[in-house]
Amino acid sequence: MTNLKAKYEDLPEDYKALGGRGLTSTIVAKEVPPTCDPIGLHNKLVFAPGIVTGSTAPTSGRISVGGKSPLTGGIKEANAGTNFSQRLARLRIAAIVVEGKVKGNEYYLLKLTKDKTEFLKADKWVGKGLYDAYKEIFKEFGEKKVSVCGVGIAAELRGAMAGISFNDPEGLPSRYAGRGGLGAVMASKGLKFIVVDDTGAPGFEIANKKVFDEGIAKVRDALLAHSVTKKGGALNSYGTSVLVNIINEAQGLPQNNFSSGQDKRAEKISGEAKAEAIKKNGGVRPHFCSPGCIIQCSEVWTKPGGKDPVGCLEYESVWALGANCGIYDLDIVAELNRACNDLGTDTIETGGTIAVAMEGGVIKFGDGKGALSLTEEIRKKTPLGRILANGTQFTGRAFGVSRIPTVKGQSLPAYDPRAIKGIGVTYATTPMGADHTAGYAIATEIMGVGGKADPRDPKKAELSRNLQLATAAIDASGYCLFIAFAILDIPEGLQGVVESLNGVLGTNLTVNDVSVIGKQIIDIERDFNKAAGFTSAHDRLPEFFIDEKLPPSNEVFNVSNEELDSVF
Amino acid sequence: MTNLKAKYEDLPEDYKALGGRGLTSTIVAKEVPPTCDPIGLHNKLVFAPGIVTGSTAPTSGRISVGGKSPLTGGIKEANAGTNFSQRLARLRIAAIVVEGKVKGNEYYLLKLTKDKTEFLKADKWVGKGLYDAYKEIFKEFGEKKVSVCGVGIAAELRGAMAGISFNDPEGLPSRYAGRGGLGAVMASKGLKFIVVDDTGAPGFEIANKKVFDEGIAKVRDALLAHSVTKKGGALNSYGTSVLVNIINEAQGLPQNNFSSGQDKRAEKISGEAKAEAIKKNGGVRPHFCSPGCIIQCSEVWTKPGGKDPVGCLEYESVWALGANCGIYDLDIVAELNRACNDLGTDTIETGGTIAVAMEGGVIKFGDGKGALSLTEEIRKKTPLGRILANGTQFTGRAFGVSRIPTVKGQSLPAYDPRAIKGIGVTYATTPMGADHTAGYAIATEIMGVGGKADPRDPKKAELSRNLQLATAAIDASGYCLFIAFAILDIPEGLQGVVESLNGVLGTNLTVNDVSVIGKQIIDIERDFNKAAGFTSAHDRLPEFFIDEKLPPSNEVFNVSNEELDSVF
């Protein structure tokens, strides 16, 4: 970005079997000084489709984004489902590595086509919401043939809650590599958008088509067979927010900044209520986030009459912007979600931030209008907006709050770790900062997927470790993490995933290699974090989870430090 | 504070030879969980006079304050010169340990007398400046017989730049244990003021009066003989800001947020200019900060006609609020200093914060009125004020600045480490975060005290280490660190210090024990920090000191990481 030049390099031999998180974390660990300033000259931002992304493998349109996180100060990988990744892959681009920093304050749009790389001025979109910006960009660059990635106003502020947005099939900026503030890294380099046009692309390469086809058939069968992932199954019918009622029932749905684990009003923002409302309002449900998805957990939420489409209202977003703020009104939650997408913020971090601001007395719990007005502070770039744009930890500190639900500076997701201990072990120990996707213990503790585990049992190191390793491998594969529900329960599905990887790469991996691959990735990430200054002292939950009982279960987080440290 | 109860305990046998920083760091390390929230329930705040404080030992009216720092996240000791410490010592109080947290939002004043401990409501002083508050408190509790310690509006905000103020001889709130945000810790506990009345105190105990008297005579002789500390010497004539011209000459006086090391205009804010102005305006110069000081580097700066007395304008303050903000006007600098004292902020952190806000475009470099208006934002408790009250690192992040001059989150003092490397080694490696007093290499590198060292030579681990060990011991003794100038050059002076300690304690320490005592203290502090999550990655300067040349010397900070890591 310093000289506005792009250079193509062949993928080094030892990177050839890498993709997604495997590739982003490897490049970041190799090329970024661990103690560097995340928004300084030396950080790099890496985009990489997964190994099978761009192929006909089902539910595999993932893109990983990596760099040093301004939020956690550690290595970060965030991923999203979007056809952006598939176009990149068909252009045979294994990764984009963004280096350097524009001199001065301009912003650029990087346009990638089969033959050319261009840096175009993007200043006209500075200060503009992403819904409008995406609309204009699609109009300018060709609606049907391009995909878009971009950062919004929060990133212009270098806010540590700024995510990186990608288009959904409707062209809305609603698919987010949200967590860890990588949007601020992108903006710090002077890069505002990437537009990928894959016209005439050479297409996806497969080393052994037969092995691949056999593999993906098994994956497809598993997805279509499992109750969570099949057509008409939980995710397909209600989207991820099918979990609202389930987690509320388990007394682990945090209310009012993690002050309680249950509230009757939560059903008003449940997946079931949402599906009903979409039917009435005229949105789309179900819907895929990227072509080729079988699960189709996504949707387009709109106002009545199909107005102001938001995109998908995920469980995490509905919880963060809803229950955690004491807001039990889907219309307001959806408006807040639209504001997040428009400003370019991570919904989990935004909800955590608003809740902590409520705790600090800025507005009252339950004040939906107040919450919307806080997002406007970010848009107006006021001092209050700058506080909020930097996330939960930062906002808590600004307002003298000591109940700040973060690990490594990142806001906790939608499961109270006092009621459901295994997910707390993942929050504490993943190199990513508090992150549910990094080792989704909820699957086993609540949904009985991949075995069963009592959510109140504090012995969860092994469960979290196994899931963290498997997750890292899936995040590298290009498959959506949601295939895990099916392949944890259906051995042929897992076999199919491995065969599809072998088909693409021409390798001879076995099922046992999955955790080995996961371990390699996590080792790389933990080594980076160690060099960046992380120790076991950072693998801890905030003290209020140990001091304060969670109503109504009255549980505390009673996982010992020894148990936490035994994860890795 | 939870139950508003005070309990007296005998000093444990193994604490009997401890005082000042030795005692605060020992208690904090033993009783405070290293990973706790600094403004949460589990942190403690410890006040301890030095070993000889309260005796007739010259220049020894120091008080140490310790706790876990909200600014650095590590252990913190900050000390000040004030008769508060001497009254405590005469009451034979070795330390005050403040624990727990008031339930609710009230604030209290702790009153200590020979016979009684009272917790009185202090809410009437909330939101009030400390100059007025101190005036009222002295009026209420007896001007001649009490000393006062307190926290201001910045601490009410839990701002990490909030210091703890103590009265000077005029009753002004101008003596600060300023660094590391311990004021926020005090406020978080619901404690606003401590008033000490030593009427009828049993007085200071000395084990061996003869040894003590012989010792302090040697200290006195050394202080009166050395050019830096004698009457009419550098400190006595001009105060600490005699350094302005000296460090500017050495090309190490940071201007405009560490963008240059020299500026001709700096002489307008020099110690010499200040002494002239005090003569004209009607303040007091020289002056002691606490009774029994021989050096008398302090003063009372006022507006013309003796109006609006500030107290002392220290070198660090004049630099931070002056040159580092591009402000070369003593009247404005003094007004800013008064605002800091009134709001209860550390002047170094405040100047660093304003400079970074200038770099972030909030106001322009050199804008004195603008700088004053920023301090008013803290007073008004606006969102911008809350950003600023949290210090340089926080403000830099809020405004997307990547040139943030901090180590372990604490703002760098008044010496550019590119021009003067040894002080940079101290900034990087002291457990305190960037702190000049922790190992004042300037003495040797610039003033030729305790030997000579080329400021541009990057081999400075040994110099910094030796000074850090000696400093920790002096900070425990109760002597002001400024005796170091004399005792580093005059062996009898050092001998006298050790004899005076032996006289008080009844011990048989030798000169060789000084660094042993210092090492014990620093080991305790480093162990705490390690358990709090610090590694060698935190013993580093910000990358811009390595990347950017400092005009006019064009030096960078070229001390290797290996050299830094060899300090301890």
Side-chain angles (χ1 to χ4, degrees):
Chain A
M1 293 307 298
T2 312
N3 305 307
L4 298 178
K5 291 231 164 95
K7 192 172 82 177
Y8 284 81
E9 288 176 21
D10 286 334
L11 192 63
E13 199 55 46
D14 50 339
Y15 287 7
K16 288 228 159 122
L18 302 177
R21 178 173 169 186
L23 190 51
T24 62
S25 287
T26 300
I27 294 174
V28 170
K30 189 158 181 199
E31 301 189 11
V32 174
T35 57
C36 77
D37 176 3
I39 61 161
L41 188 66
H42 304 298
N43 199 3
K44 299 191 181 187
L45 190 69
V46 185
F47 298 77
I51 295 169
V52 303
T53 305
S55 74
T56 53
T59 310
S60 69
R62 307 299 291 184
I63 185 140
S64 288
V65 190
K68 176 168 172 169
S69 164
L71 189 69
T72 69
I75 198 167
K76 175 58 66 179
E77 184 264 2
N79 61 63
T82 168
N83 62 14
F84 183 94
S85 62
Q86 295 164 322
R87 290 197 209 270
L88 262 196
R90 286 195 291 265
L91 283 167
R92 298 191 183 166
I93 292 175
I96 304 171
V97 183
V98 185
E99 307 183 346
K101 219 174 163 165
V102 163
K103 298 162 190 156
N105 294 318
E106 317 87 76
Y107 286 99
Y108 287 86
L109 178 153
L110 169 63
K111 191 185 172 196
L112 293 174
T113 61
K114 184 171 77 73
D115 306 310
K116 218 162 64 168
T117 313
E118 287 175 280
F119 292 90
L120 309 169
K121 285 271 205 174
D123 293 310
K124 63 181 166 184
W125 290 296
V126 171
K128 202 163 220 180
L130 288 176
Y131 283 93
D132 283 348
Y134 270 49
K135 208 178 281 176
E136 292 168 21
I137 289 169
F138 275 110
K139 201 167 161 200
E140 194 169 328
F141 294 93
E143 210 136 329
K144 295 281 168 215
K145 58 182 191 170
V146 304
S147 292
V148 181
C149 151
V151 294
I153 292 168
E156 292 167 18
L157 295 176
R158 309 291 182 266
M161 64 150 75
I164 296 183
S165 79
F166 297 90
N167 63 270
D168 74 2
E170 279 71 27
L172 304 171
S174 70
R175 308 306 311 178
Y176 264 85
R179 308 228 67 195
L182 293 176
V185 178
M186 186 160 157
S188 75
K189 305 209 160 296
L191 185 61
K192 186 99 171 103
F193 297 103
I194 305 176
V195 171
V196 181
D197 181 340
D198 65 343
T199 310
F204 193 83
E205 272 187 307
I206 294 177
N208 187 331
K209 184 100 170 48
K210 185 164 171 290
V211 171
F212 174 77
D213 283 339
E214 283 172 15
I216 62 170
K218 290 177 192 164
V219 178
R220 190 176 294 121
D221 289 347
L223 292 175
L224 290 173
H226 196 276
S227 65
V228 175
T229 54
K230 69 182 180 188
K231 278 199 200 301
L235 286 171
N236 184 254
S237 300
Y238 303 112
T240 51
S241 64
V242 68
L243 282 169
V244 170
N245 286 336
I246 295 169
I247 304 300
N248 196 40
E249 183 65 28
Q251 306 182 327
L253 188 74
Q255 318 287 321
N256 292 8
N257 192 33
F258 290 81
S259 294
S260 159
Q262 196 173 60
D263 194 294
K264 273 199 305 198
R265 292 169 294 175
E267 65 178 15
K268 294 192 208 166
I269 55 169
S270 66
E272 293 82 344
K274 184 188 64 176
E276 276 304 306
I278 291 175
K279 243 184 247 167
K280 222 175 62 189
N281 289 348
V284 186
R285 153 103 258 133
H287 169 282
F288 56 72
C289 71
S290 57
C293 180
I294 287 178
I295 304 175
Q296 304 204 3
C297 68
S298 188
E299 69 213 356
V300 182
W301 170 280
T302 65
K303 286 188 182 161
K307 270 180 52 185
D308 291 342
V310 176
C312 184
L313 304 190
E314 301 283 7
Y315 166 66
E316 296 292 333
S317 311
V318 162
W319 159 77
L321 303 164
N324 197 40
C325 295
I327 297 170
Y328 302 97
D329 180 325
L330 266 181
D331 294 320
I332 291 175
V333 166
E335 243 185 292
L336 285 167
N337 199 336
R338 195 172 204 272
C340 292
N341 292 349
D342 203 40
L343 296 164
T345 67
D346 176 27
T347 53
I348 298 177
E349 197 69 37
T350 307
T353 297
I354 293 172
V356 156
M358 287 169 162
E359 174 115 16
V362 182
I363 56 173
K364 288 210 161 63
F365 281 109
D367 180 0
K369 279 203 175 158
L372 279 163
S373 78
L374 292 186
T375 66
E376 286 306 298
E377 297 288 327
I378 298 175
R379 193 182 304 277
K380 291 183 278 182
K381 301 185 178 181
T382 64
L384 177 55
R386 287 176 178 275
I387 292 172
L388 300 166
N390 274 295
T392 304
Q393 180 89 34
F394 197 85
T395 299
R397 197 168 141 189
F399 291 99
V401 174
S402 53
R403 296 177 75 260
I404 307 179
T406 57
V407 176
K408 300 182 179 73
Q410 184 167 289
S411 210
L412 258 63
Y415 316 87
D416 198 299
R418 289 166 289 190
I420 314 171
K421 323 281 186 190
I423 195 72
V425 175
T426 296
Y427 293 163
T429 60
T430 160
M432 293 298 150
D435 180 3
H436 58 297
T437 67
Y440 191 63
I442 300 299
T444 311
E445 294 182 285
I446 301 294
M447 297 154 76
V449 168
K452 270 190 190 303
D454 175 3
R456 305 287 153 85
D457 177 0
K459 290 301 222 186
K460 291 285 166 58
E462 197 185 342
L463 175 65
S464 175
R465 180 194 315 117
N466 289 341
L467 288 166
Q468 289 193 53
L469 301 185
T471 301
I474 294 175
D475 286 344
S477 73
Y479 284 107
C480 173
L481 185 57
F482 289 173
I483 68 158
F485 296 115
I487 67 171
L488 283 172
D489 280 343
I490 303 170
E492 295 74 20
L494 177 57
Q495 182 60 41
V497 167
V498 174
E499 286 172 15
S500 69
L501 294 172
N502 283 332
V504 170
L505 299 169
T507 48
N508 294 299
L509 300 171
T510 68
V511 164
N512 292 332
D513 290 324
V514 171
S515 68
V516 176
I517 292 169
K519 180 77 164 46
Q520 284 168 348
I521 295 170
I522 287 184
D523 282 348
I524 285 171
E525 292 168 348
R526 284 178 54 84
D527 285 349
F528 182 95
N529 280 1
K530 193 178 167 196
F534 284 76
T535 73
S536 59
H538 300 94
D539 289 349
R540 299 290 180 263
L541 294 188
E543 63 191 30
F544 82 84
F545 289 105
I546 291 123
D547 290 348
E548 261 182 39
K549 289 179 182 173
L550 176 73
S553 66
N554 290 323
E555 289 282 316
V556 296
F557 188 69
N558 57 352
V559 177
S560 69
N561 290 345
E562 293 66 36
E563 180 79 5
L564 292 175
D565 292 342
S566 75
V567 173
F568 297 114
Chain B
M1 294 306 298
T2 312
N3 305 307
L4 297 178
K5 290 229 165 97
K7 191 172 81 176
Y8 284 81
E9 288 176 21
D10 286 334
L11 193 64
E13 200 53 45
D14 51 338
Y15 287 7
K16 287 228 159 123
L18 301 176
R21 176 173 170 187
L23 191 51
T24 62
S25 286
T26 300
I27 294 174
V28 171
K30 190 159 180 197
E31 302 188 11
V32 174
T35 57
C36 78
D37 177 4
I39 62 162
L41 188 66
H42 304 298
N43 199 4
K44 299 192 181 186
L45 190 69
V46 185
F47 297 79
I51 295 168
V52 303
T53 304
S55 75
T56 54
T59 310
S60 69
R62 307 298 292 184
I63 187 141
S64 288
V65 191
K68 176 168 171 169
S69 163
L71 189 68
T72 70
I75 198 166
K76 174 58 66 177
E77 185 265 0
N79 61 63
T82 168
N83 62 13
F84 183 94
S85 62
Q86 296 164 321
R87 290 198 208 271
L88 262 196
R90 286 196 292 265
L91 283 167
R92 298 193 184 165
I93 292 175
I96 304 172
V97 184
V98 185
E99 308 183 347
K101 219 174 163 164
V102 164
K103 297 161 192 159
N105 294 318
E106 316 87 78
Y107 285 100
Y108 287 86
L109 178 152
L110 168 64
K111 191 185 170 196
L112 293 174
T113 62
K114 184 171 76 73
D115 306 310
K116 221 163 61 171
T117 314
E118 288 174 280
F119 292 89
L120 308 170
K121 285 270 205 177
D123 294 310
K124 62 182 167 185
W125 291 297
V126 172
K128 202 163 220 179
L130 288 175
Y131 283 94
D132 283 349
Y134 269 49
K135 209 178 281 175
E136 292 169 19
I137 288 170
F138 275 110
K139 204 169 159 197
E140 193 169 328
F141 294 93
E143 207 137 331
K144 294 284 169 211
K145 57 180 190 174
V146 304
S147 292
V148 182
C149 152
V151 295
I153 292 168
E156 292 167 17
L157 295 176
R158 308 291 182 268
M161 63 150 74
I164 296 183
S165 80
F166 298 90
N167 63 272
D168 74 2
E170 280 70 29
L172 304 171
S174 71
R175 308 306 311 178
Y176 264 85
R179 307 227 69 194
L182 292 177
V185 178
M186 186 160 157
S188 75
K189 306 209 159 295
L191 185 61
K192 185 98 171 108
F193 296 103
I194 304 176
V195 171
V196 181
D197 181 339
D198 66 342
T199 309
F204 193 83
E205 273 187 306
I206 294 176
N208 188 330
K209 183 96 171 54
K210 187 165 170 291
V211 170
F212 174 76
D213 283 341
E214 284 173 14
I216 63 169
K218 290 177 192 164
V219 178
R220 190 177 295 123
D221 289 348
L223 292 175
L224 290 172
H226 196 277
S227 65
V228 175
T229 55
K230 69 182 179 189
K231 279 200 201 299
L235 287 171
N236 184 255
S237 301
Y238 303 113
T240 51
S241 63
V242 66
L243 282 168
V244 170
N245 286 337
I246 295 168
I247 304 299
N248 196 40
E249 184 64 28
Q251 306 182 329
L253 188 75
Q255 318 287 322
N256 293 7
N257 191 34
F258 290 80
S259 295
S260 158
Q262 195 174 60
D263 194 295
K264 272 197 305 195
R265 293 168 292 175
E267 66 178 16
K268 293 191 208 166
I269 55 169
S270 66
E272 292 83 343
K274 184 188 64 176
E276 277 302 308
I278 291 175
K279 244 185 248 169
K280 223 174 61 190
N281 290 348
V284 185
R285 153 102 262 133
H287 170 282
F288 55 73
C289 71
S290 57
C293 180
I294 287 178
I295 304 174
Q296 304 204 2
C297 68
S298 189
E299 70 212 356
V300 182
W301 170 281
T302 66
K303 285 189 182 162
K307 271 179 52 185
D308 291 343
V310 175
C312 184
L313 304 190
E314 302 283 7
Y315 166 65
E316 296 292 334
S317 311
V318 161
W319 160 77
L321 303 163
N324 197 41
C325 295
I327 297 170
Y328 302 96
D329 180 324
L330 265 181
D331 295 318
I332 291 174
V333 167
E335 245 186 289
L336 285 167
N337 200 336
R338 197 173 202 273
C340 292
N341 292 349
D342 203 40
L343 297 164
T345 67
D346 176 28
T347 53
I348 298 176
E349 197 68 39
T350 307
T353 298
I354 295 173
V356 157
M358 288 168 161
E359 174 114 16
V362 182
I363 55 172
K364 287 211 162 64
F365 281 108
D367 179 0
K369 281 202 175 159
L372 279 163
S373 77
L374 292 187
T375 67
E376 286 306 299
E377 297 288 328
I378 297 175
R379 192 182 305 277
K380 291 183 277 181
K381 302 186 178 179
T382 64
L384 177 55
R386 288 177 177 274
I387 292 172
L388 300 165
N390 274 296
T392 304
Q393 181 89 35
F394 197 86
T395 301
R397 196 168 140 187
F399 291 99
V401 173
S402 51
R403 296 178 74 259
I404 306 180
T406 57
V407 176
K408 301 182 179 70
Q410 184 168 288
S411 210
L412 257 64
Y415 316 87
D416 198 298
R418 289 166 289 192
I420 314 171
K421 322 279 187 191
I423 196 70
V425 174
T426 295
Y427 293 162
T429 61
T430 162
M432 294 297 149
D435 179 2
H436 59 298
T437 68
Y440 191 62
I442 301 299
T444 310
E445 294 181 285
I446 300 295
M447 298 154 76
V449 168
K452 273 191 186 302
D454 176 2
R456 305 286 154 86
D457 177 1
K459 290 300 220 185
K460 291 286 167 55
E462 197 185 343
L463 175 65
S464 175
R465 181 195 313 119
N466 290 340
L467 289 166
Q468 289 193 53
L469 301 185
T471 300
I474 295 174
D475 287 344
S477 73
Y479 284 107
C480 173
L481 185 57
F482 289 173
I483 68 160
F485 296 116
I487 67 170
L488 283 172
D489 279 342
I490 303 170
E492 294 76 19
L494 176 56
Q495 183 60 40
V497 166
V498 173
E499 286 171 16
S500 69
L501 294 171
N502 284 332
V504 170
L505 299 169
T507 48
N508 293 299
L509 300 170
T510 67
V511 163
N512 291 333
D513 291 322
V514 171
S515 68
V516 176
I517 292 169
K519 179 79 164 44
Q520 284 168 349
I521 296 170
I522 287 185
D523 282 349
I524 285 171
E525 293 168 348
R526 284 177 54 83
D527 284 350
F528 182 96
N529 280 1
K530 194 179 166 195
F534 283 76
T535 72
S536 60
H538 301 94
D539 289 349
R540 300 289 179 262
L541 294 187
E543 64 191 32
F544 81 85
F545 289 105
I546 292 123
D547 290 348
E548 261 182 38
K549 288 180 183 171
L550 176 74
S553 66
N554 290 324
E555 289 282 315
V556 296
F557 188 70
N558 57 351
V559 177
S560 69
N561 289 345
E562 292 67 34
E563 180 78 4
L564 293 174
D565 292 342
S566 75
V567 172
F568 296 113

